Amino acid sequence: FAAARRAVEATAARGVAVGAHFILGLPDESDTELLDRTRIINALPLATVKFHQLQLVRGTALAAQYDAEPGRFRLRTSEEYLSLVVEVLRRLRPDMAVERIASEVPMGFHHLTQWHLTRVSTLWSLLEKRLTARNAYQGEIFIPLRR
């Protein structure tokens, strides 16, 4: 992470708009830790972010890791994931553009998950409805870091 932070900061210092990708729900990561890390994201000089749900892809080291130690993982349903995304957005800096909230892996490549059944466009629609129903929005509870 330290190397990535230096690269982001050096690139932004040269006037280049920087974006970053974040996987929500890595092994051993609790929701509390994940939401706390939103402060780190906010502190980076990022113009854009792309979020991805944890997906296990057949034949990868991560899938093998899951098979060996499934207790380290929390495989979320689309509903659980959307609840998490709402909470991330509420804490995310309001000036940061969110370009993606999920990704898609082609059918037949999934290992134990059903994410191929839900299209990203459907998730965007469901997210908008959920935010509206809760009267929630990006940056709603954003607290700037004091230096």
Side-chain angles (χ1 to χ4, degrees), residues 8-66:
V8 166
E9 290 170 347
T11 304
R14 288 174 173 77
V16 177
V18 182
H21 295 247
F22 296 94
I23 299 172
L24 302 179
L26 292 170
D28 301 322
E29 185 175 61
S30 73
D31 288 358
T32 302
E33 289 171 319
L34 194 151
L35 293 174
D36 285 346
R37 288 185 187 130
T38 305
R39 290 181 298 125
I40 296 168
I41 295 170
N42 287 334
L44 293 170
L46 296 172
T48 65
V49 289
K50 294 181 181 183
F51 294 111
H52 305 267
Q53 74 280 31
L54 178 66
Q55 298 183 83
L56 301 177
V57 178
R58 191 179 65 228
T60 63
L62 192 61
Q65 198 175 49
Y66 176 84

Side-chain angles (χ1 to χ4, degrees), residues 42-112:
N42 287 334
L44 293 170
L46 296 172
T48 65
V49 289
K50 294 181 181 183
F51 294 111
H52 305 267
Q53 74 280 31
L54 178 66
Q55 298 183 83
L56 301 177
V57 178
R58 191 179 65 228
T60 63
L62 192 61
Q65 198 175 49
Y66 176 84
D67 290 341
E69 301 177 82
R72 294 183 56 214
F73 292 74
R74 179 173 173 201
L75 301 179
R76 290 174 173 80
T77 66
S78 58
E79 289 298 314
E80 292 169 330
Y81 180 72
L82 283 175
S83 293
L84 180 61
V85 170
V86 166
E87 292 308 314
V88 168
L89 291 177
R90 291 179 67 221
R91 290 160 174 78
L92 192 66
R93 236 178 44 222
D95 65 317
M96 197 178 307
V98 178
E99 295 182 321
R100 180 178 294 154
I101 60 163
S103 57
E104 295 180 11
V105 172
M107 283 182 64
F109 287 90
H110 286 268
H111 181 75
L112 301 177

Side-chain angles (χ1 to χ4, degrees), residues 108-137:
F109 287 90
H110 286 268
H111 181 75
L112 301 177
T113 61
Q114 299 294 313
W115 278 101
H116 62 284
L117 302 175
T118 306
R119 305 300 301 180
V120 171
S121 58
T122 301
L123 289 175
W124 275 111
S125 177
L126 292 170
L127 176 63
E128 288 177 20
K129 288 177 185 174
R130 192 170 290 203
L131 288 168
T132 300
R134 288 191 53 189
N135 196 27
Y137 53 90

